[in-house]
């Protein structure tokens, strides 16, 4: 067991070896946010345009229907959207739990992007113009979901609510250096 004097000496030596905190370290904290800002802005301003990540999300959406098929038609139908929310949330939570801010930020970016997709799909509930896997043989998830709860005529508002959620998630991702500290 170390005495107080030995403990103090050891602490001083450890502090001498420690890297000093500089202004550059503060700037480095914001690099992921600087990367995320234009991506999130692009996705919000170009809502409804689809890219490679959207195809990956589509596979995750369809897998969600499979995983939730045992819970009745409503939850089965909602399962695609739930999986689009659950998977990136788990990834962001994993990184948060392990104190890896950049991982949390990019997990939240992906979650926000999924909410953009959900906003487009839900706002299309009445019009049903989006092409669906399976063509005319399948039903539109959000037409069914909103119809079942009696708010089909408000599909555009539901879409804007999901868009608002996406924007809030993007803002949290961008402002993570203010929320968390190393």
């Amino acid at each position: 067991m170390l005495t107080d004097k030995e403990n103090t000496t050891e602490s001083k030596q450890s502090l001498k070896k420690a890297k000093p905190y500089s202004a550059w370290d503060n700037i480095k904290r914001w690099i992921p946010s600087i990367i995320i800002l234009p991506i999130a802005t692009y996705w919000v301003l170009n809502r409804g345009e689809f890219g490679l990540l959207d195809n990956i999300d589509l596979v995750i959406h369809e897998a969600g229907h499979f995983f939730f098929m045992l819970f009745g038609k409503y939850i089965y139908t909602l399962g695609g959207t739930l999986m689009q929310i659950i998977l990136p949330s788990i990834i962001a939570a994993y990184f948060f739990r392990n104190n890896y801010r950049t991982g949390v930020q990019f997990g939240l970016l992906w979650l926000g992007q999924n909410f953009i997709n959900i906003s487009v799909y839900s706002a299309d509930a009445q019009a049903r113009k989006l092409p669906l896997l399976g063509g005319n043989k399948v039903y539109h998830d959000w037409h069914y979901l909103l119809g079942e709860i009696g708010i089909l005529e408000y599909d555009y508002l539901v879409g804007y609510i999901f868009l608002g959620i996406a924007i809030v998630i993007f803002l949290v991702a961008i402002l993570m250096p203010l929320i968390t500290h190393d």
Side-chain angles (χ1 to χ4, degrees), residues 51-65:
L52 177 63
L53 188 54
D54 299 300
N55 292 326
I56 295 166
D57 294 335
L58 178 61
V59 172
I60 292 166
H61 176 95
E62 293 305 322
H65 291 306

Side-chain angles (χ1 to χ4, degrees), residues 102-164:
T102 302
V104 174
Q105 287 178 279
F106 283 99
L108 289 175
L109 178 67
W110 186 25
L111 178 62
Q113 184 265 346
N114 273 290
F115 270 102
I116 295 278
N117 284 350
I118 295 165
S119 78
V120 171
Y121 195 18
S122 62
D124 182 60
Q126 286 186 84
R128 292 181 277 177
K129 300 253 185 218
L130 289 174
L132 303 177
L133 288 180
N136 295 332
K137 300 176 200 168
V138 296
Y139 62 93
H140 190 290
D141 293 355
W142 282 95
H143 183 270
Y144 171 76
L145 293 169
L146 297 179
E148 283 293 302
I149 59 175
I151 61 169
L152 182 58
E153 64 271 17
Y154 301 110
D155 63 348
Y156 67 97
L157 287 176
V158 173
Y160 282 127
I161 290 168
F162 285 128
L163 177 62

